[in-house]
Amino acid sequence: MSIEFWTWNTPNGRKISVALEEMGLPYTVKTVNISKDEQFNPEFLAFSPNNRIPAIKDPEGPDGKPITVFESGAILLYLAEKTGKFLPKSLRDRVPVYEWLMWQMGGFGPMPGQVHHFLMQPEGPARDYGFSRYHKETVRLYGVLDRQLEGRDFVATRGEPSVADFAILGWAWRHERHQVDLATVPNVKRWYEAMMARPATKRGFEVALS
């Protein structure tokens, strides 16, 4: 039975499409056109009360019973627990994954998201101030990620990626829109190109979400 994946073509949506492909889970895309405010439809709000994509419906959840999950970070952790993939077994090894997943959710997402917002505003002092403020923080976050990836293939684990990589990749995918040249963060560039070359990750970015 397929997981229903309710989403739109955004960085947060791409986190989950990549994870679903990497984990080999069957899924069906249910588009939620946020440009038409479909995230406010009662059917969607019934299981995504914060009216944000993505959200999932898994007909084969814990104990074989259906479950719904909203918030992209929670979805990633749920899918990792469900499949036993891309999340280390020991608590000690899991902690860095939790840390970097929360880093993405709290910073490397909200901050570049504000860059997106202010770039779409009319030219003027408000646009200039907002862009300067959030672009500076976005550049700082890319630098934090670059230092973390020095000498490492993956953000929080050794040997294979984790759900933290999938989460961060969804936003790094929009680096051009963030006006960040990956050549300025060579470790991020190397990691980004290696992740994007993975066949399952590539499928996760190719699947139609809108």
Side-chain angles (χ1 to χ4, degrees):
M1 298 177 70
S2 293
I3 291 172
E4 288 187 7
F5 173 35
W6 295 64
T7 193
W8 195 243
N9 187 30
T10 70
N12 287 332
R14 288 297 170 187
K15 298 177 194 177
I16 309 306
S17 61
V18 167
L20 288 165
E21 291 288 347
E22 286 278 1
M23 294 174 186
L25 289 167
Y27 66 98
T28 303
V29 173
K30 302 285 189 178
T31 57
V32 181
N33 190 335
I34 59 177
S35 67
K36 295 182 178 179
D37 290 338
E38 290 180 358
Q39 70 271 30
F40 296 103
N41 289 352
E43 182 184 11
F44 185 64
L45 284 174
F47 64 100
S48 186
N50 197 35
N51 58 266
R52 294 288 187 269
I53 61 92
I56 64 168
K57 292 182 177 182
D58 184 358
E60 295 181 321
D63 303 318
K65 298 177 182 178
I67 192 171
T68 63
V69 189
F70 72 97
E71 288 292 333
S72 59
I75 295 169
L76 287 171
L77 291 173
Y78 168 74
L79 294 176
E81 293 280 2
K82 175 184 174 73
T83 61
K85 297 178 179 179
F86 305 110
L87 188 63
K89 302 301 182 190
S90 76
L91 178 58
R92 183 172 298 279
D93 291 337
R94 284 184 183 215
V95 167
V97 177
Y98 295 155
E99 290 175 327
W100 286 96
L101 179 59
M102 297 308 115
W103 176 84
Q104 185 281 304
M105 297 292 294
F108 195 73
M111 296 301 103
Q114 291 298 318
V115 172
H116 297 179
H117 172 77
F118 281 100
L119 282 174
M120 293 188 294
Q121 302 311 303
E123 292 188 7
R127 178 189 186 276
D128 294 345
Y129 171 77
F131 173 76
S132 175
R133 174 184 174 86
Y134 291 108
H135 185 256
K136 181 178 179 180
E137 177 62 6
T138 295
V139 170
R140 186 191 72 82
L141 290 166
Y142 272 94
V144 171
L145 180 61
D146 194 63
R147 290 191 294 275
Q148 173 64 11
L149 284 165
E150 186 172 356
R152 305 178 62 97
D153 291 330
F154 306 110
V155 175
T157 48
R158 303 285 183 181
E160 69 170 11
S162 73
V163 291
D165 292 275
F166 304 152
I168 295 166
L169 188 67
W171 281 92
W173 167 57
R174 291 286 181 87
H175 63 273
E176 292 181 350
R177 192 169 174 179
H178 305 159
Q179 297 191 10
V180 172
D181 183 355
L182 292 189
T184 64
V185 279
N187 296 317
V188 175
K189 185 175 187 291
R190 169 184 48 78
W191 164 83
Y192 179 82
E193 291 174 350
M195 288 295 298
M196 286 298 204
R198 293 172 62 90
T201 293
K202 185 178 180 182
R203 292 194 301 271
F205 279 99
E206 290 175 344
V207 63
L209 300 185
S210 59

